Amino acid sequence: MDRPGQILQASQGVAVTLRRGQAIRIENVHGSQVVDTWAVSVDDPLEYASMEHTRSWNSSIFVEESMAVVSIRRRQMLTMIADSSPGRHDTQLCPCSAELYEQLNCHGRHRSCTDNFHEALTPLGVRLSFTPASLNLFMNVPIAEDGGVTRLPPASRAGDSVTLRAEMDVIVVLSACPQDITPINGADHTPRDIAFAVIDDCQTRN
Ligand SMILES: [Zn+2]
Protein backbone atom coordinates (compact mmCIF):
# COMPACT_ATOMS: atom_id res chain seq x y z
CA MET A 1 0.00 0.00 0.00
CA ASP A 2 1.40 3.38 -0.96
CA ARG A 3 1.38 6.19 1.53
CA PRO A 4 0.84 9.74 0.25
CA GLY A 5 3.82 11.02 -1.67
CA GLN A 6 5.92 13.93 -0.51
CA ILE A 7 7.98 16.50 -2.34
CA LEU A 8 11.65 16.98 -1.54
CA GLN A 9 12.47 20.48 -2.62
CA ALA A 10 15.38 21.20 -4.92
CA SER A 11 18.79 21.18 -3.19
CA GLN A 12 17.35 19.82 0.10
CA GLY A 13 17.76 16.53 1.96
CA VAL A 14 15.49 14.27 3.99
CA ALA A 15 15.86 11.18 6.20
CA VAL A 16 13.15 8.50 6.06
CA THR A 17 13.07 5.54 8.46
CA LEU A 18 11.97 2.27 6.85
CA ARG A 19 11.14 -0.91 8.70
CA ARG A 20 12.19 -4.17 7.07
CA GLY A 21 9.70 -4.93 4.32
CA GLN A 22 8.79 -1.32 3.63
CA ALA A 23 10.05 0.37 0.50
CA ILE A 24 10.57 3.88 -0.77
CA ARG A 25 9.75 5.00 -4.27
CA ILE A 26 11.81 7.95 -5.51
CA GLU A 27 10.33 9.79 -8.46
CA ASN A 28 12.35 11.99 -10.76
CA VAL A 29 9.50 14.45 -11.27
CA HIS A 30 11.25 16.47 -13.96
CA GLY A 31 13.57 13.70 -15.19
CA SER A 32 16.76 15.72 -14.86
CA GLN A 33 17.51 15.50 -11.14
CA VAL A 34 20.18 13.36 -9.47
CA VAL A 35 19.34 11.98 -6.02
CA ASP A 36 22.27 11.09 -3.77
CA THR A 37 21.07 8.25 -1.57
CA TRP A 38 22.41 6.65 1.61
CA ALA A 39 21.23 3.93 4.00
CA VAL A 40 22.18 3.76 7.67
CA SER A 41 21.19 0.94 10.03
CA VAL A 42 18.61 1.92 12.65
CA ASP A 43 20.30 -0.38 15.17
CA ASP A 44 23.87 0.80 14.58
CA PRO A 45 24.62 3.91 12.49
CA LEU A 46 28.16 2.65 11.97
CA GLU A 47 26.66 0.00 9.71
CA TYR A 48 25.87 1.94 6.53
CA ALA A 49 25.48 1.25 2.83
CA SER A 50 28.92 0.81 1.26
CA MET A 51 29.37 1.40 -2.45
CA GLU A 52 32.58 -0.64 -2.61
CA HIS A 53 30.89 -3.63 -0.94
CA THR A 54 27.84 -3.14 -3.17
CA ARG A 55 29.97 -3.20 -6.35
CA SER A 56 31.69 -6.35 -5.12
CA TRP A 57 28.38 -8.02 -4.15
CA ASN A 58 26.72 -7.27 -7.50
CA SER A 59 29.86 -7.66 -9.62
CA SER A 60 28.80 -4.40 -11.23
CA ILE A 61 29.76 -0.76 -11.00
CA PHE A 62 26.10 0.21 -11.43
CA VAL A 63 23.07 -0.65 -9.30
CA GLU A 64 20.22 -1.91 -11.45
CA GLU A 65 16.81 -3.48 -10.91
CA SER A 66 16.92 -6.60 -8.65
CA MET A 67 20.40 -5.72 -7.38
CA ALA A 68 21.20 -5.24 -3.70
CA VAL A 69 22.73 -2.39 -1.78
CA VAL A 70 24.86 -3.93 0.97
CA SER A 71 26.44 -2.63 4.13
CA ILE A 72 30.03 -2.22 5.16
CA ARG A 73 29.46 -5.55 6.92
CA ARG A 74 28.29 -7.09 3.65
CA ARG A 75 24.68 -7.48 4.71
CA GLN A 76 21.78 -6.62 2.44
CA MET A 77 20.25 -3.28 3.38
CA LEU A 78 18.18 -2.45 0.29
CA THR A 79 17.04 -4.11 -2.91
CA MET A 80 16.20 -2.10 -6.02
CA ILE A 81 12.88 -3.82 -6.73
CA ALA A 82 11.74 -1.52 -9.54
CA ASP A 83 13.32 0.98 -11.89
CA SER A 84 11.48 2.63 -14.77
CA SER A 85 14.50 4.76 -15.72
CA PRO A 86 17.25 3.75 -18.17
CA GLY A 87 19.20 2.74 -15.05
CA ARG A 88 22.98 2.80 -14.70
CA HIS A 89 22.83 4.57 -11.34
CA ASP A 90 26.31 5.76 -10.44
CA THR A 91 28.31 4.35 -7.52
CA GLN A 92 31.70 5.84 -8.42
CA LEU A 93 31.65 9.56 -7.70
CA CYS A 94 31.59 11.09 -4.23
CA PRO A 95 28.74 13.29 -3.01
CA CYS A 96 29.25 17.00 -3.59
CA SER A 97 30.57 19.01 -0.65
CA ALA A 98 31.35 22.56 0.44
CA GLU A 99 34.99 21.98 -0.53
CA LEU A 100 34.00 20.95 -4.06
CA TYR A 101 32.03 24.15 -4.56
CA GLU A 102 34.94 26.21 -3.25
CA GLN A 103 37.13 24.48 -5.82
CA LEU A 104 34.54 25.34 -8.48
CA ASN A 105 34.99 29.00 -7.48
CA CYS A 106 31.56 29.44 -5.92
CA HIS A 107 31.48 32.47 -3.67
CA GLY A 108 29.83 32.06 -0.30
CA ARG A 109 28.22 28.95 1.12
CA HIS A 110 26.75 26.59 -1.49
CA ARG A 111 24.41 23.81 -0.39
CA SER A 112 25.80 20.32 -0.89
CA CYS A 113 24.75 16.68 -0.70
CA THR A 114 27.29 16.17 2.10
CA ASP A 115 25.64 18.90 4.19
CA ASN A 116 22.19 17.53 3.33
CA PHE A 117 23.21 14.07 4.58
CA HIS A 118 24.33 15.29 7.98
CA GLU A 119 21.54 17.86 8.38
CA ALA A 120 18.89 15.23 7.59
CA LEU A 121 20.25 12.83 10.24
CA THR A 122 20.56 15.44 12.99
CA PRO A 123 16.86 15.46 14.03
CA LEU A 124 17.09 11.66 14.43
CA GLY A 125 20.01 12.03 16.83
CA VAL A 126 22.43 10.37 14.40
CA ARG A 127 25.84 11.99 14.02
CA LEU A 128 28.60 10.54 11.87
CA SER A 129 32.08 12.08 11.74
CA PHE A 130 32.46 11.08 8.10
CA THR A 131 30.34 10.97 4.94
CA PRO A 132 29.85 7.56 3.31
CA ALA A 133 29.90 7.27 -0.46
CA SER A 134 26.42 7.73 -1.93
CA LEU A 135 24.37 5.75 -4.40
CA ASN A 136 23.78 8.40 -7.03
CA LEU A 137 20.34 7.65 -8.44
CA PHE A 138 19.73 8.82 -12.01
CA MET A 139 23.32 10.12 -12.25
CA ASN A 140 24.65 9.50 -15.72
CA VAL A 141 28.38 8.86 -15.56
CA PRO A 142 29.52 6.51 -18.32
CA ILE A 143 32.87 4.83 -17.72
CA ALA A 144 35.15 4.60 -20.77
CA GLU A 145 37.34 1.60 -21.49
CA ASP A 146 40.38 3.61 -20.47
CA GLY A 147 38.76 4.28 -17.09
CA GLY A 148 37.77 7.86 -17.80
CA VAL A 149 34.43 9.13 -16.52
CA THR A 150 32.13 11.70 -18.12
CA ARG A 151 29.51 13.73 -16.26
CA LEU A 152 26.40 13.81 -18.46
CA PRO A 153 22.85 15.03 -17.81
CA PRO A 154 20.53 12.27 -16.54
CA ALA A 155 19.06 9.99 -19.23
CA SER A 156 15.87 9.59 -17.19
CA ARG A 157 12.51 11.01 -18.25
CA ALA A 158 10.01 13.03 -16.22
CA GLY A 159 8.16 10.64 -13.92
CA ASP A 160 10.76 7.88 -13.95
CA SER A 161 11.12 6.25 -10.55
CA VAL A 162 13.22 3.82 -8.56
CA THR A 163 11.89 1.69 -5.69
CA LEU A 164 14.18 0.51 -2.92
CA ARG A 165 12.97 -2.14 -0.46
CA ALA A 166 14.42 -2.28 3.04
CA GLU A 167 15.94 -5.66 3.91
CA MET A 168 16.60 -4.47 7.47
CA ASP A 169 15.44 -1.48 9.51
CA VAL A 170 17.19 1.45 7.88
CA ILE A 171 17.28 5.21 7.69
CA VAL A 172 17.33 6.22 4.02
CA VAL A 173 18.72 9.68 3.35
CA LEU A 174 17.90 11.40 0.07
CA SER A 175 19.58 14.53 -1.24
CA ALA A 176 18.21 16.36 -4.27
CA CYS A 177 21.69 17.29 -5.47
CA PRO A 178 22.31 21.08 -5.49
CA GLN A 179 24.97 20.87 -8.22
CA ASP A 180 24.37 23.78 -10.62
CA ILE A 181 27.86 24.23 -12.06
CA THR A 182 28.22 21.00 -14.06
CA PRO A 183 25.39 19.54 -16.25
CA ILE A 184 24.90 16.56 -13.88
CA ASN A 185 21.38 17.85 -13.01
CA GLY A 186 20.46 18.65 -16.60
CA ALA A 187 21.82 20.69 -19.46
CA ASP A 188 20.27 23.86 -17.99
CA HIS A 189 22.23 23.37 -14.74
CA THR A 190 19.09 23.72 -12.63
CA PRO A 191 18.45 21.60 -9.51
CA ARG A 192 14.80 20.59 -9.22
CA ASP A 193 12.32 18.98 -6.79
CA ILE A 194 11.87 15.25 -6.54
CA ALA A 195 9.06 13.20 -4.97
CA PHE A 196 9.12 10.16 -2.73
CA ALA A 197 6.61 7.82 -1.11
CA VAL A 198 6.87 5.02 1.45
CA ILE A 199 5.26 1.72 0.45
CA ASP A 200 4.17 -0.76 3.14
CA ASP A 201 4.17 -4.53 2.98
CA CYS A 202 6.73 -5.31 0.30
CA GLN A 203 7.81 -8.93 0.40
CA THR A 204 11.39 -9.21 1.66
CA ARG A 205 14.06 -11.33 0.13
CA ASN A 206 14.40 -13.83 2.98
ZN1 LIG B 1 25.36 16.68 -4.89
Short mmCIF file of all heavy atoms in Angstrom, two decimals, residues 102-163:
data_model
loop_
_atom_site.label_atom_id
_atom_site.label_comp_id
_atom_site.label_asym_id
_atom_site.label_seq_id
_atom_site.Cartn_x
_atom_site.Cartn_y
_atom_site.Cartn_z
N GLU A 102 33.85 25.24 -3.36
CA GLU A 102 34.94 26.21 -3.25
C GLU A 102 35.90 26.03 -4.43
O GLU A 102 36.35 26.99 -5.04
CB GLU A 102 35.72 26.00 -1.95
CG GLU A 102 35.03 26.55 -0.71
CD GLU A 102 35.77 26.17 0.56
OE1 GLU A 102 37.00 25.91 0.50
OE2 GLU A 102 35.10 26.10 1.59
N GLN A 103 36.21 24.75 -4.73
CA GLN A 103 37.13 24.48 -5.82
C GLN A 103 36.54 24.85 -7.18
O GLN A 103 37.27 25.07 -8.15
CB GLN A 103 37.55 23.00 -5.78
CG GLN A 103 38.44 22.69 -4.58
CD GLN A 103 38.42 21.23 -4.17
OE1 GLN A 103 37.88 20.38 -4.87
NE2 GLN A 103 39.01 20.94 -3.02
N LEU A 104 35.21 24.91 -7.25
CA LEU A 104 34.54 25.34 -8.48
C LEU A 104 34.33 26.86 -8.49
O LEU A 104 33.58 27.38 -9.31
CB LEU A 104 33.20 24.62 -8.63
CG LEU A 104 33.28 23.13 -8.94
CD1 LEU A 104 31.90 22.47 -8.88
CD2 LEU A 104 33.93 22.86 -10.29
N ASN A 105 35.00 27.53 -7.54
CA ASN A 105 34.99 29.00 -7.48
C ASN A 105 33.62 29.60 -7.17
O ASN A 105 33.30 30.70 -7.62
CB ASN A 105 35.53 29.61 -8.79
CG ASN A 105 36.99 29.24 -9.00
OD1 ASN A 105 37.79 29.28 -8.06
ND2 ASN A 105 37.33 28.83 -10.22
N CYS A 106 32.81 28.85 -6.40
CA CYS A 106 31.56 29.44 -5.92
C CYS A 106 31.88 30.37 -4.77
O CYS A 106 32.67 30.04 -3.89
CB CYS A 106 30.61 28.35 -5.44
SG CYS A 106 30.02 27.32 -6.77
N HIS A 107 31.26 31.52 -4.76
CA HIS A 107 31.48 32.47 -3.67
C HIS A 107 30.40 32.29 -2.62
O HIS A 107 29.23 32.14 -2.96
CB HIS A 107 31.46 33.90 -4.22
CG HIS A 107 32.54 34.14 -5.24
ND1 HIS A 107 33.88 34.13 -4.91
CD2 HIS A 107 32.49 34.34 -6.57
CE1 HIS A 107 34.59 34.33 -6.00
NE2 HIS A 107 33.77 34.46 -7.03
N GLY A 108 30.80 32.26 -1.37
CA GLY A 108 29.83 32.06 -0.30
C GLY A 108 29.47 30.60 -0.15
O GLY A 108 29.93 29.74 -0.90
N ARG A 109 28.61 30.33 0.81
CA ARG A 109 28.22 28.95 1.12
C ARG A 109 27.28 28.41 0.03
O ARG A 109 26.32 29.08 -0.34
CB ARG A 109 27.51 28.92 2.47
CG ARG A 109 27.21 27.52 2.98
CD ARG A 109 28.45 26.88 3.56
NE ARG A 109 28.17 25.57 4.13
CZ ARG A 109 29.11 24.80 4.65
NH1 ARG A 109 30.36 25.19 4.69
NH2 ARG A 109 28.81 23.62 5.15
N HIS A 110 27.59 27.25 -0.48
CA HIS A 110 26.75 26.59 -1.49
C HIS A 110 26.22 25.32 -0.85
O HIS A 110 26.98 24.56 -0.25
CB HIS A 110 27.62 26.25 -2.71
CG HIS A 110 26.83 25.83 -3.92
ND1 HIS A 110 26.11 24.65 -3.97
CD2 HIS A 110 26.66 26.42 -5.13
CE1 HIS A 110 25.54 24.54 -5.15
NE2 HIS A 110 25.85 25.60 -5.87
N ARG A 111 24.95 25.06 -0.95
CA ARG A 111 24.41 23.81 -0.39
C ARG A 111 25.08 22.62 -1.06
O ARG A 111 25.51 22.69 -2.21
CB ARG A 111 22.90 23.74 -0.60
CG ARG A 111 22.09 24.76 0.17
CD ARG A 111 20.64 24.34 0.27
NE ARG A 111 20.49 23.14 1.10
CZ ARG A 111 20.49 23.13 2.43
NH1 ARG A 111 20.63 24.26 3.11
NH2 ARG A 111 20.36 22.00 3.10
N SER A 112 25.16 21.50 -0.33
CA SER A 112 25.80 20.32 -0.89
C SER A 112 25.10 19.06 -0.39
O SER A 112 24.42 19.07 0.64
CB SER A 112 27.27 20.26 -0.47
OG SER A 112 27.38 19.93 0.90
N CYS A 113 25.32 17.97 -1.12
CA CYS A 113 24.75 16.68 -0.70
C CYS A 113 25.37 16.25 0.63
O CYS A 113 24.69 15.65 1.46
CB CYS A 113 25.00 15.62 -1.78
SG CYS A 113 24.00 15.87 -3.26
N THR A 114 26.65 16.53 0.83
CA THR A 114 27.29 16.17 2.10
C THR A 114 26.59 16.87 3.26
O THR A 114 26.24 16.24 4.27
CB THR A 114 28.78 16.55 2.06
OG1 THR A 114 29.41 15.74 1.05
CG2 THR A 114 29.46 16.31 3.40
N ASP A 115 26.36 18.18 3.13
CA ASP A 115 25.64 18.90 4.19
C ASP A 115 24.23 18.35 4.35
O ASP A 115 23.73 18.20 5.47
CB ASP A 115 25.58 20.39 3.87
CG ASP A 115 26.94 21.07 4.02
OD1 ASP A 115 27.85 20.46 4.60
OD2 ASP A 115 27.08 22.21 3.54
N ASN A 116 23.56 18.07 3.24
CA ASN A 116 22.19 17.53 3.33
C ASN A 116 22.16 16.22 4.10
O ASN A 116 21.23 15.98 4.88
CB ASN A 116 21.62 17.32 1.92
CG ASN A 116 21.18 18.61 1.26
OD1 ASN A 116 21.02 19.63 1.92
ND2 ASN A 116 20.99 18.56 -0.05
N PHE A 117 23.14 15.36 3.89
CA PHE A 117 23.21 14.07 4.58
C PHE A 117 23.25 14.28 6.09
O PHE A 117 22.44 13.73 6.85
CB PHE A 117 24.44 13.30 4.10
CG PHE A 117 24.74 12.05 4.88
CD1 PHE A 117 23.98 10.89 4.71
CD2 PHE A 117 25.81 12.00 5.77
CE1 PHE A 117 24.26 9.73 5.43
CE2 PHE A 117 26.10 10.85 6.49
CZ PHE A 117 25.32 9.71 6.32
N HIS A 118 24.18 15.11 6.54
CA HIS A 118 24.33 15.29 7.98
C HIS A 118 23.16 16.07 8.59
O HIS A 118 22.69 15.74 9.68
CB HIS A 118 25.67 15.98 8.26
CG HIS A 118 26.84 15.11 7.90
ND1 HIS A 118 27.21 14.01 8.64
CD2 HIS A 118 27.68 15.15 6.83
CE1 HIS A 118 28.25 13.42 8.06
NE2 HIS A 118 28.56 14.09 6.96
N GLU A 119 22.68 17.08 7.86
CA GLU A 119 21.54 17.86 8.38
C GLU A 119 20.30 16.98 8.50
O GLU A 119 19.53 17.13 9.46
CB GLU A 119 21.23 19.03 7.43
CG GLU A 119 22.22 20.17 7.52
CD GLU A 119 21.93 21.26 6.50
OE1 GLU A 119 20.84 21.26 5.89
OE2 GLU A 119 22.82 22.12 6.30
N ALA A 120 20.09 16.07 7.56
CA ALA A 120 18.89 15.23 7.59
C ALA A 120 18.93 14.26 8.76
O ALA A 120 17.89 13.92 9.34
CB ALA A 120 18.75 14.46 6.27
N LEU A 121 20.13 13.80 9.14
CA LEU A 121 20.25 12.83 10.24
C LEU A 121 20.17 13.48 11.61
O LEU A 121 19.84 12.83 12.60
CB LEU A 121 21.57 12.06 10.11
CG LEU A 121 21.63 11.04 8.98
CD1 LEU A 121 23.04 10.45 8.87
CD2 LEU A 121 20.61 9.91 9.18
N THR A 122 20.49 14.77 11.68
CA THR A 122 20.56 15.44 12.99
C THR A 122 19.27 15.32 13.80
O THR A 122 19.33 14.98 14.99
CB THR A 122 20.97 16.92 12.79
OG1 THR A 122 22.26 16.94 12.19
CG2 THR A 122 21.01 17.66 14.12
N PRO A 123 18.08 15.58 13.21
CA PRO A 123 16.86 15.46 14.03
C PRO A 123 16.63 14.05 14.58
O PRO A 123 15.88 13.88 15.53
CB PRO A 123 15.74 15.85 13.06
CG PRO A 123 16.41 16.57 11.96
CD PRO A 123 17.79 16.01 11.85
N LEU A 124 17.24 13.05 13.96
CA LEU A 124 17.09 11.66 14.43
C LEU A 124 18.15 11.32 15.48
O LEU A 124 18.22 10.18 15.95
CB LEU A 124 17.19 10.69 13.25
CG LEU A 124 16.16 10.90 12.13
CD1 LEU A 124 16.37 9.90 10.99
CD2 LEU A 124 14.74 10.77 12.68
N GLY A 125 18.99 12.28 15.83
CA GLY A 125 20.01 12.03 16.83
C GLY A 125 21.18 11.22 16.31
O GLY A 125 21.96 10.67 17.09
N VAL A 126 21.33 11.14 14.99
CA VAL A 126 22.43 10.37 14.40
C VAL A 126 23.50 11.34 13.93
O VAL A 126 23.23 12.25 13.13
CB VAL A 126 21.93 9.51 13.21
CG1 VAL A 126 23.10 8.79 12.55
CG2 VAL A 126 20.89 8.52 13.69
N ARG A 127 24.71 11.15 14.43
CA ARG A 127 25.84 11.99 14.02
C ARG A 127 26.97 11.07 13.56
O ARG A 127 27.39 10.19 14.30
CB ARG A 127 26.35 12.82 15.20
CG ARG A 127 25.49 14.02 15.52
CD ARG A 127 26.16 14.87 16.59
NE ARG A 127 27.23 15.68 16.04
CZ ARG A 127 27.03 16.89 15.52
NH1 ARG A 127 25.82 17.39 15.45
NH2 ARG A 127 28.03 17.58 15.05
N LEU A 128 27.44 11.28 12.37
CA LEU A 128 28.60 10.54 11.87
C LEU A 128 29.72 11.56 11.61
O LEU A 128 29.45 12.66 11.12
CB LEU A 128 28.27 9.77 10.60
CG LEU A 128 27.25 8.63 10.75
CD1 LEU A 128 26.95 8.00 9.39
CD2 LEU A 128 27.77 7.56 11.71
N SER A 129 30.95 11.16 11.90
CA SER A 129 32.08 12.08 11.74
C SER A 129 32.67 12.00 10.34
O SER A 129 33.70 12.59 10.06
CB SER A 129 33.16 11.75 12.78
OG SER A 129 33.61 10.43 12.57
N PHE A 130 31.99 11.26 9.47
CA PHE A 130 32.46 11.08 8.10
C PHE A 130 31.23 11.00 7.21
O PHE A 130 30.10 10.90 7.70
CB PHE A 130 33.28 9.78 7.97
CG PHE A 130 32.51 8.57 8.40
CD1 PHE A 130 31.78 7.84 7.50
CD2 PHE A 130 32.49 8.19 9.75
CE1 PHE A 130 31.03 6.74 7.91
CE2 PHE A 130 31.74 7.09 10.16
CZ PHE A 130 31.02 6.37 9.24
N THR A 131 31.45 11.04 5.90
CA THR A 131 30.34 10.97 4.94
C THR A 131 30.54 9.74 4.07
O THR A 131 31.50 9.70 3.29
CB THR A 131 30.30 12.23 4.07
OG1 THR A 131 30.30 13.38 4.93
CG2 THR A 131 29.07 12.24 3.19
N PRO A 132 29.69 8.73 4.18
CA PRO A 132 29.85 7.56 3.31
C PRO A 132 29.66 7.93 1.84
O PRO A 132 29.02 8.95 1.52
CB PRO A 132 28.73 6.62 3.77
CG PRO A 132 28.29 7.12 5.11
CD PRO A 132 28.54 8.60 5.09
N ALA A 133 30.18 7.11 0.97
CA ALA A 133 29.90 7.27 -0.46
C ALA A 133 28.41 7.07 -0.69
O ALA A 133 27.76 6.30 0.01
CB ALA A 133 30.70 6.26 -1.27
N SER A 134 27.86 7.78 -1.65
CA SER A 134 26.42 7.73 -1.93
C SER A 134 26.14 6.88 -3.16
O SER A 134 26.97 6.75 -4.05
CB SER A 134 25.91 9.16 -2.16
OG SER A 134 26.78 9.86 -3.02
N LEU A 135 24.91 6.32 -3.18
CA LEU A 135 24.37 5.75 -4.40
C LEU A 135 23.70 6.90 -5.15
O LEU A 135 22.77 7.51 -4.63
CB LEU A 135 23.36 4.65 -4.06
CG LEU A 135 22.47 4.16 -5.22
CD1 LEU A 135 23.30 3.56 -6.34
CD2 LEU A 135 21.44 3.16 -4.70
N ASN A 136 24.21 7.19 -6.32
CA ASN A 136 23.78 8.40 -7.03
C ASN A 136 22.69 8.05 -8.06
O ASN A 136 22.98 7.78 -9.22
CB ASN A 136 25.00 9.05 -7.69
CG ASN A 136 26.06 9.39 -6.67
OD1 ASN A 136 25.76 9.94 -5.60
ND2 ASN A 136 27.31 9.04 -6.96
N LEU A 137 21.46 8.04 -7.57
CA LEU A 137 20.34 7.65 -8.44
C LEU A 137 20.19 8.64 -9.58
O LEU A 137 20.27 9.86 -9.39
CB LEU A 137 19.04 7.60 -7.63
CG LEU A 137 18.98 6.54 -6.53
CD1 LEU A 137 17.68 6.67 -5.74
CD2 LEU A 137 19.12 5.13 -7.10
N PHE A 138 19.95 8.08 -10.76
CA PHE A 138 19.73 8.82 -12.01
C PHE A 138 20.98 9.54 -12.52
O PHE A 138 20.93 10.23 -13.55
CB PHE A 138 18.58 9.86 -11.86
CG PHE A 138 17.32 9.28 -11.29
CD1 PHE A 138 16.89 9.64 -10.01
CD2 PHE A 138 16.56 8.37 -12.00
CE1 PHE A 138 15.73 9.11 -9.47
CE2 PHE A 138 15.39 7.83 -11.46
CZ PHE A 138 14.98 8.21 -10.19
N MET A 139 22.11 9.39 -11.83
CA MET A 139 23.32 10.12 -12.25
C MET A 139 23.99 9.36 -13.38
O MET A 139 24.28 8.17 -13.26
CB MET A 139 24.27 10.27 -11.06
CG MET A 139 25.43 11.17 -11.33
SD MET A 139 26.07 11.79 -9.75
CE MET A 139 27.80 11.74 -10.07
N ASN A 140 24.23 10.10 -14.45
CA ASN A 140 24.65 9.50 -15.72
C ASN A 140 26.14 9.73 -15.93
O ASN A 140 26.55 10.78 -16.43
CB ASN A 140 23.82 10.14 -16.85
CG ASN A 140 24.02 9.46 -18.18
OD1 ASN A 140 24.66 8.41 -18.28
ND2 ASN A 140 23.49 10.07 -19.22
N VAL A 141 26.92 8.73 -15.50
CA VAL A 141 28.38 8.86 -15.56
C VAL A 141 28.94 7.62 -16.26
O VAL A 141 29.34 6.65 -15.62
CB VAL A 141 28.98 8.99 -14.14
CG1 VAL A 141 30.49 9.15 -14.20
CG2 VAL A 141 28.38 10.19 -13.41
N PRO A 142 28.95 7.65 -17.60
CA PRO A 142 29.52 6.51 -18.32
C PRO A 142 31.01 6.38 -18.02
O PRO A 142 31.72 7.38 -17.85
CB PRO A 142 29.30 6.85 -19.79
CG PRO A 142 28.44 8.07 -19.83
CD PRO A 142 28.47 8.71 -18.49
N ILE A 143 31.46 5.13 -17.97
CA ILE A 143 32.87 4.83 -17.72
C ILE A 143 33.47 4.34 -19.04
O ILE A 143 33.00 3.35 -19.61
CB ILE A 143 33.04 3.72 -16.66
CG1 ILE A 143 32.14 4.00 -15.44
CG2 ILE A 143 34.51 3.54 -16.29
CD1 ILE A 143 32.60 5.05 -14.50
N ALA A 144 34.51 5.01 -19.52
CA ALA A 144 35.15 4.60 -20.77
C ALA A 144 36.09 3.42 -20.53
O ALA A 144 36.45 3.12 -19.39
CB ALA A 144 35.92 5.79 -21.36
N GLU A 145 36.45 2.76 -21.62
CA GLU A 145 37.34 1.60 -21.49
C GLU A 145 38.66 1.95 -20.85
O GLU A 145 39.28 1.14 -20.16
CB GLU A 145 37.58 0.98 -22.88
CG GLU A 145 36.83 -0.31 -23.08
CD GLU A 145 37.20 -0.97 -24.39
OE1 GLU A 145 38.29 -1.56 -24.45
OE2 GLU A 145 36.40 -0.89 -25.33
N ASP A 146 39.11 3.20 -21.07
CA ASP A 146 40.38 3.61 -20.47
C ASP A 146 40.23 4.06 -19.03
O ASP A 146 41.19 4.51 -18.40
CB ASP A 146 41.03 4.74 -21.30
CG ASP A 146 40.23 6.03 -21.27
OD1 ASP A 146 39.16 6.08 -20.60
OD2 ASP A 146 40.67 7.02 -21.90
N GLY A 147 39.00 3.93 -18.49
CA GLY A 147 38.76 4.28 -17.09
C GLY A 147 38.29 5.70 -16.89
O GLY A 147 37.93 6.06 -15.77
N GLY A 148 38.25 6.48 -17.94
CA GLY A 148 37.77 7.86 -17.80
C GLY A 148 36.28 7.92 -17.53
O GLY A 148 35.52 7.03 -17.94
N VAL A 149 35.86 8.95 -16.79
CA VAL A 149 34.43 9.13 -16.52
C VAL A 149 33.98 10.46 -17.11
O VAL A 149 34.75 11.42 -17.18
CB VAL A 149 34.11 9.10 -15.00
CG1 VAL A 149 34.49 7.76 -14.41
CG2 VAL A 149 34.80 10.24 -14.26
N THR A 150 32.72 10.49 -17.55
CA THR A 150 32.13 11.70 -18.12
C THR A 150 30.86 12.03 -17.36
O THR A 150 30.05 11.15 -17.09
CB THR A 150 31.78 11.47 -19.61
OG1 THR A 150 32.91 10.90 -20.27
CG2 THR A 150 31.43 12.79 -20.29
N ARG A 151 30.72 13.28 -16.98
CA ARG A 151 29.51 13.73 -16.26
C ARG A 151 28.49 14.23 -17.28
O ARG A 151 28.67 15.31 -17.86
CB ARG A 151 29.87 14.83 -15.27
CG ARG A 151 30.75 14.36 -14.14
CD ARG A 151 31.35 15.54 -13.40
NE ARG A 151 32.14 15.17 -12.24
CZ ARG A 151 33.41 14.75 -12.29
NH1 ARG A 151 34.03 14.63 -13.45
NH2 ARG A 151 34.05 14.43 -11.18
N LEU A 152 27.43 13.46 -17.49
CA LEU A 152 26.40 13.81 -18.46
C LEU A 152 25.09 14.12 -17.75
O LEU A 152 24.87 13.66 -16.62
CB LEU A 152 26.18 12.64 -19.44
CG LEU A 152 27.36 12.27 -20.33
CD1 LEU A 152 26.98 11.08 -21.21
CD2 LEU A 152 27.80 13.45 -21.19
N PRO A 153 24.18 14.85 -18.39
CA PRO A 153 22.85 15.03 -17.81
C PRO A 153 22.16 13.67 -17.65
O PRO A 153 22.45 12.74 -18.42
CB PRO A 153 22.11 15.90 -18.84
CG PRO A 153 23.19 16.56 -19.63
CD PRO A 153 24.33 15.58 -19.66
N PRO A 154 21.25 13.54 -16.70
CA PRO A 154 20.53 12.27 -16.54
C PRO A 154 19.83 11.85 -17.84
O PRO A 154 19.34 12.70 -18.59
CB PRO A 154 19.51 12.57 -15.43
CG PRO A 154 20.15 13.66 -14.62
CD PRO A 154 20.89 14.50 -15.64
N ALA A 155 19.78 10.52 -18.06
CA ALA A 155 19.06 9.99 -19.23
C ALA A 155 17.62 9.68 -18.87
O ALA A 155 16.85 9.22 -19.73
CB ALA A 155 19.77 8.73 -19.72
N SER A 156 17.23 9.90 -17.63
CA SER A 156 15.87 9.59 -17.19
C SER A 156 14.88 10.60 -17.77
O SER A 156 15.25 11.69 -18.19
CB SER A 156 15.80 9.56 -15.66
OG SER A 156 16.57 10.61 -15.11
N ARG A 157 13.60 10.16 -17.75
CA ARG A 157 12.51 11.01 -18.25
C ARG A 157 11.66 11.48 -17.08
O ARG A 157 11.67 10.85 -16.01
CB ARG A 157 11.63 10.21 -19.22
CG ARG A 157 12.40 9.70 -20.44
CD ARG A 157 11.91 8.34 -20.88
NE ARG A 157 12.14 7.33 -19.86
CZ ARG A 157 12.20 6.03 -20.08
NH1 ARG A 157 12.06 5.57 -21.29
NH2 ARG A 157 12.41 5.17 -19.09
N ALA A 158 10.91 12.53 -17.28
CA ALA A 158 10.01 13.03 -16.22
C ALA A 158 9.09 11.90 -15.77
O ALA A 158 8.48 11.21 -16.60
CB ALA A 158 9.20 14.20 -16.74
N GLY A 159 9.03 11.68 -14.46
CA GLY A 159 8.16 10.64 -13.92
C GLY A 159 8.83 9.30 -13.72
O GLY A 159 8.23 8.40 -13.10
N ASP A 160 10.05 9.13 -14.22
CA ASP A 160 10.76 7.88 -13.95
C ASP A 160 10.96 7.72 -12.45
O ASP A 160 11.16 8.70 -11.72
CB ASP A 160 12.13 7.87 -14.64
CG ASP A 160 12.06 7.43 -16.09
OD1 ASP A 160 11.01 6.91 -16.52
OD2 ASP A 160 13.07 7.61 -16.81
N SER A 161 10.95 6.46 -11.99
CA SER A 161 11.12 6.25 -10.55
C SER A 161 11.91 4.99 -10.27
O SER A 161 12.02 4.09 -11.12
CB SER A 161 9.76 6.16 -9.85
OG SER A 161 9.08 4.99 -10.25
N VAL A 162 12.46 4.97 -9.08
CA VAL A 162 13.22 3.82 -8.56
C VAL A 162 12.57 3.44 -7.23
O VAL A 162 12.20 4.32 -6.45
CB VAL A 162 14.69 4.24 -8.33
CG1 VAL A 162 15.41 3.26 -7.42
CG2 VAL A 162 15.41 4.38 -9.66
N THR A 163 12.43 2.14 -6.98
CA THR A 163 11.89 1.69 -5.69
C THR A 163 12.91 0.83 -4.99
O THR A 163 13.44 -0.13 -5.56
CB THR A 163 10.58 0.90 -5.89
OG1 THR A 163 9.66 1.70 -6.64
CG2 THR A 163 9.95 0.54 -4.55
#
